[in-house]
Amino acid sequence: MTGSDAEHVDRETDGGTDTAGEPHVLVLRRGTHGIPVEQYADAIRDRLPGGTVDLARTPTEEREAIRDARFVTGMTLDESLLEAAENLEVFACAYAGTGHLPLEALEERGVRVTNASGVHGPNIGEHVLGAILHFTRRFHVGARRQRRREWRHYQAHELHGSTVTIVGLGAIGRAVADRLEPFDVETIGVRYTPEKGGPTDEVVGFGDEPFHGALARTDYLVLACPLTETTRGLIGRDALTTIDPGAVLVNVARGPVVDTDALVEAIRSHQLRGASLDVTDPEPLPEDHPLWNFGNVQITPHNAGHTPKYYDRLADVVAENAERHATGGGEASLENQVLPR
């Protein structure tokens, strides 16, 4: 029997009651990025040597274990499972986004919710930098000529001296800005509260004038923002008309931040030099969608978030919050808390 198997919820525990201030965490069965969820449970366990970490591996185990659990973590929590949770106090979402959760029901029950904000900074920052360099040096053209066995030179670009606009200055946006620093580029950040400043050379808000003014100076546009009423359709026909035709769009945010029809139109009419899309609308992108067929569109299947260190970084946050909850209860300050608002 493996260490993970030995820690399943059939152990003799009190089902979630913290004793002597020791944390007790229930891990739900769904994993992510193709990495076994046992690794997540083990990572939390390593960080809580004095606590208890249970892993529910079947639907029945989840429903039984969550009944008395106070601190639960997982990728998702549907309403039917929430109804079975009689004593739930904290749900630690293992994703940065929480829009898929029954937030109203959680809020009504007074459950505190945290997310995985910050976990993706390094890997998505590297993904964005790779996408920018891909189009700067036009590796897609080189790859096409290699497939054809053509030894024929082509013109490339230089990142030095370019202007990169980063929409969203959360953990991912900051990671992108940090990784661009050695390249001697000008950076513009876009955020809801520009008066807070940020790691970029300049920070503007989402108002039409400042935002479009930034677009007009942009060589590389990086979308790293959450999907909200403000950002939905943010990059539509107006934005794609304003931006320079030599610019490149990199989207690691959410598909609907970009108007897909407007993007296809912009690519077809040479209003953009290229686009790197880790997210699309719709998603998954249908096999017959025109975006697949453009030589200057790079598509990755929502893969920027993958990193072999995902569970380790997530476990750092969750274990720390489990410790705080065990010792401070409902009064404890939790990292990455999104509920209550």
Side-chain angles (χ1 to χ4, degrees):
M1 180 178 291
T2 67
S4 296
D5 291 334
E7 297 296 336
H8 279 194
V9 294
D10 57 357
R11 61 189 298 167
E12 293 182 8
T13 67
D14 55 6
T17 303
D18 300 327
T19 58
E22 294 181 353
H24 190 150
V25 179
L26 172 63
V27 180
L28 301 182
R29 64 192 169 96
R30 180 176 177 180
T32 191
H33 296 310
I35 309 173
V37 72
E38 283 85 356
Q39 292 185 24
Y40 180 35
D42 287 342
I44 300 173
R45 197 171 291 122
D46 288 344
R47 289 155 177 79
L48 297 175
T52 301
V53 179
D54 293 332
L55 172 60
R57 287 298 284 116
T58 69
T60 300
E61 285 182 354
E62 282 186 336
R63 293 189 66 82
E64 291 177 352
I66 205 170
R67 185 176 296 110
D68 296 317
R70 289 181 167 82
F71 192 107
V72 176
T73 183
M75 310 299 154
T76 189
L77 178 67
D78 61 43
E79 291 203 48
S80 63
L81 191 58
L82 176 59
E83 288 175 2
E86 299 175 2
N87 297 291
L88 185 61
E89 296 174 0
V90 177
F91 180 71
C93 181
Y95 290 136
T98 56
H100 62 291
L101 298 178
L103 293 177
E104 289 187 9
L106 286 160
E107 191 167 25
E108 287 175 3
R109 297 181 56 164
V111 177
R112 290 193 289 171
V113 177
T114 63
N115 67 8
S117 178
V119 171
H120 285 304
N123 48 292
I124 296 185
E126 292 174 4
H127 182 100
V128 170
L129 186 58
I132 289 175
L133 291 174
H134 173 92
F135 281 100
T136 299
R137 300 308 303 170
R138 299 186 74 199
F139 289 138
H140 56 296
V141 176
R144 186 163 61 244
R145 295 192 180 182
Q146 180 180 349
R147 287 195 301 271
R148 296 172 180 172
R149 301 182 183 183
E150 294 178 356
W151 186 272
R152 185 160 56 93
H153 286 269
Y154 57 90
Q155 293 183 336
H157 303 273
E158 192 171 294
L159 184 56
H160 174 90
S162 299
T163 298
V164 182
T165 295
I166 305 168
V167 182
L169 292 180
I172 293 170
R174 293 194 303 271
V176 171
D178 289 345
R179 282 154 180 76
L180 285 169
E181 191 170 343
F183 291 89
D184 195 20
V185 298
E186 290 294 317
T187 53
I188 304 172
V190 183
R191 68 186 311 175
Y192 290 103
T193 51
E195 61 273 10
K196 289 184 178 180
T200 51
D201 297 311
E202 182 182 346
V203 181
V204 302
F206 283 97
D208 286 346
E209 280 303 313
F211 181 58
H212 280 263
L215 289 180
R217 295 180 281 147
T218 296
D219 298 300
Y220 297 90
L221 176 62
V222 178
L223 305 179
C225 54
L227 180 63
T228 66
E229 291 183 5
T230 299
T231 62
R232 183 180 292 275
L234 178 71
I235 308 303
R237 285 181 174 83
D238 281 350
L240 291 169
T241 300
T242 300
I243 200 167
D244 192 281
V248 171
L249 169 68
V250 180
N251 190 6
V252 291
R254 287 293 183 268
V257 174
V258 177
D259 181 327
T260 301
D261 290 341
L263 176 61
V264 170
E265 180 182 313
I267 295 291
R268 281 177 171 158
S269 59
H270 305 288
Q271 287 177 255
L272 277 179
R273 175 154 56 93
S276 177
L277 309 175
D278 188 57
V279 289
T280 60
D281 181 28
E283 188 174 307
L285 194 65
E287 292 183 12
D288 60 350
H289 200 281
L291 281 173
W292 287 113
N293 301 319
F294 295 116
N296 59 341
V297 174
Q298 179 189 49
I299 297 174
T300 50
H302 209 139
N303 208 61
H306 180 267
T307 167
K309 297 182 180 179
Y310 184 79
Y311 285 151
D312 286 327
R313 293 190 187 125
L314 179 60
D316 287 339
V317 177
V318 172
E320 174 63 26
N321 281 340
E323 290 270 19
R324 294 181 189 181
H325 175 257
T327 56
E331 303 301 318
S333 173
L334 301 181
E335 186 176 352
N336 289 352
Q337 183 167 313
V338 296
L339 275 185
R341 297 181 176 91

